[in-house]
């Protein structure tokens, strides 16, 4: 069935003790599109994704997927609601095989038959993972490990994927490939929220949200903000 559920984030606030890492951030992620969160180190991008994914508990605000309220739900419940995080640094299990890593992502997908068909679909999308399915995850290149992290997320049959800096640490040619893959994943009807520091990500984005000290200081469509010097200063961390 085609996904029609959108992710709605309203006035999301995250605190670590007395530090406010995210302050009243709001956006909507629509199936088939990419919503981009930009900002310098420490701007609150990862904390926003973690609060949506149930890795940290928001201090206030709301997160909804379709008509379901998932605010403050634990991570395993959020995954079951079809919202999946691809964390910074990919976090694949180095000693397990490619296929074992993929199957880990499908653990909440209890029916074996649908798990097998999703696995076949992931191998179609990423032939390199099929070729290397018995290799240890740790033997893959950085770009291949990012594909594996995407594949693992897809195993949960998600409506929303939260991606934390997928281009991090990759050679420029691999960055292009990873962004192309992100676009292909969105075209399957998945809503994507992507955190990036790489300006090339603007090309993919429907909506762009520039964060500074936890707040959205600039927002617009990808087309509106492409080439805007205020975005460049956000990348450089200059205010
Ligand atoms: P980066 O790209 O460096 O990950 P970011 O924009 O994702 O940056 P966050 O990681 O969300 O930013 O961090 C926002 C603020 O919250 C920073 O000041 C950071 O030091 C702080 N912070 C993040 N995680 C924690 C934590 N677990 N405990 C305390 N403070 C934290």
């Amino acid at each position: 069935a085609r996904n029609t559920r959108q992710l709605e984030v309203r006035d999301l606030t995250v605190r670590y003790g007395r530090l406010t890492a995210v302050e009243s951030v709001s956006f909507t992620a629509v199936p088939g599109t990419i919503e981009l969160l930009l900002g310098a180190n420490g701007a609150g991008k990862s904390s926003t994704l973690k609060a949506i994914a149930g890795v940290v508990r928001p201090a206030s605000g709301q997160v909804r997927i379709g008509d379901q309220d998932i605010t403050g739900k634990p991570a395993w419940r959020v995954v079951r609601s079809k919202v999946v995080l691809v964390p910074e640094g990919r976090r694949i299990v180095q000693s397990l095989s490619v296929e074992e890593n993929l199957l880990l992502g499908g653990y909440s997908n209890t029916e074996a038959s649908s798990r097998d068909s999703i696995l076949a679909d992931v191998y179609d999308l990423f032939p390199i993972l099929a070729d290397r399915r018995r290799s240890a995850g740790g033997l893959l290149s950085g770009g291949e490990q990012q594909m594996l992290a995407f594949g693992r997320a897809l195993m949960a049959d998600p409506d929303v994927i939260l991606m934390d800096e997928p281009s991090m640490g990759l050679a420029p040619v691999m960055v292009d490939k990873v962004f192309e893959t992100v676009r292909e994943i969105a075209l399957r009807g998945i809503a994507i929220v992507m955190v990036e520091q790489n300006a090339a990500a603007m090309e993919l984005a429907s909506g762009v949200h520039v964060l500074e000290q936890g707040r959205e200081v600039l927002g617009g469509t990808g087309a509106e903000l492409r080439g805007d010097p205020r975005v460049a200063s956000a990348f450089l961390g200059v205010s």
Side-chain angles (χ1 to χ4, degrees), residues 14-17 19-22 38-50 56 88 164-165 168 195-197 211 213-214:
V14 178
R15 296 200 178 94
Y16 301 108
L19 174 79
T20 300
V22 179
L38 295 176
N41 284 338
K45 307 178 301 295
S46 295
S47 296
T48 301
L49 294 192
K50 287 178 184 167
V56 301
E88 191 174 320
D164 201 345
E165 292 203 46
M168 194 173 67
V195 160
E196 262 301 336
Q197 302 217 34
L211 302 187
Q213 294 184 352

Side-chain angles (χ1 to χ4, degrees), residues 14-239:
V14 178
R15 296 200 178 94
Y16 301 108
R18 290 165 61 186
L19 174 79
T20 300
V22 179
E23 192 167 357
S24 207
V25 166
S26 299
F27 59 85
T28 301
V30 174
T33 70
I34 299 164
E35 212 61 24
L36 181 63
L37 306 181
L38 295 176
N41 284 338
K45 307 178 301 295
S46 295
S47 296
T48 301
L49 294 192
K50 287 178 184 167
I52 297 168
V55 176
V56 301
R57 235 172 184 284
S60 58
Q62 272 205 330
V63 183
R64 304 180 69 85
I65 169 74
D67 56 13
Q68 224 179 334
D69 188 340
I70 56 167
T71 316
K73 295 274 192 284
W76 65 271
R77 290 274 311 268
V78 175
V79 172
R80 223 180 242 182
S81 298
K82 306 283 179 201
V83 177
V84 176
L85 175 68
V86 179
E88 191 174 320
R90 343 220 203 267
R91 305 277 176 85
I92 68 161
V93 184
Q94 312 269 315
S95 60
L96 293 183
S97 72
V98 164
E99 186 150 303
E100 286 164 340
N101 270 279
L102 289 173
L103 292 174
L104 281 180
Y107 74 92
S108 65
N109 195 339
T110 43
E111 268 206 71
S113 62
S114 76
R115 193 192 66 196
D116 290 348
S117 84
I118 296 171
L119 183 63
D121 190 41
V122 167
Y123 283 147
D124 267 354
L125 184 63
F126 304 113
I128 184 73
L129 297 184
D131 292 347
R132 308 208 54 188
R133 64 171 176 265
R134 312 227 177 277
S135 304
L139 295 177
L140 301 185
S141 73
E144 289 165 354
Q145 291 194 10
Q146 187 60 56
M147 302 298 170
L148 179 54
F150 289 155
R152 185 184 53 193
L154 287 168
M155 289 298 295
D157 191 24
D159 289 340
V160 178
I161 303 184
L162 312 167
M163 301 179 172
D164 201 345
E165 292 203 46
S167 80
M168 194 173 67
L170 301 182
V173 60
M174 269 323 296
V175 171
D176 291 345
K177 194 158 179 3
V178 162
F179 285 163
E180 186 48 44
T181 305
V182 173
R183 199 197 299 267
E184 276 174 40
I185 292 171
L187 287 174
R188 300 175 152 232
I190 294 171
I192 292 178
V193 181
M194 182 164 67
V195 160
E196 262 301 336
Q197 302 217 34
N198 188 318
M202 301 271 293
E203 299 297 319
L204 309 173
S206 301
V208 179
H209 309 271
V210 179
L211 302 187
E212 203 175 278
Q213 294 184 352
R215 292 194 213 195
E216 180 172 324
V217 292
L218 182 64
T221 65
E224 282 165 357
L225 293 182
R226 237 163 262 155
D228 189 314
R230 291 172 297 175
V231 175
S233 69
F235 283 120
L236 298 170
V238 183
S239 52

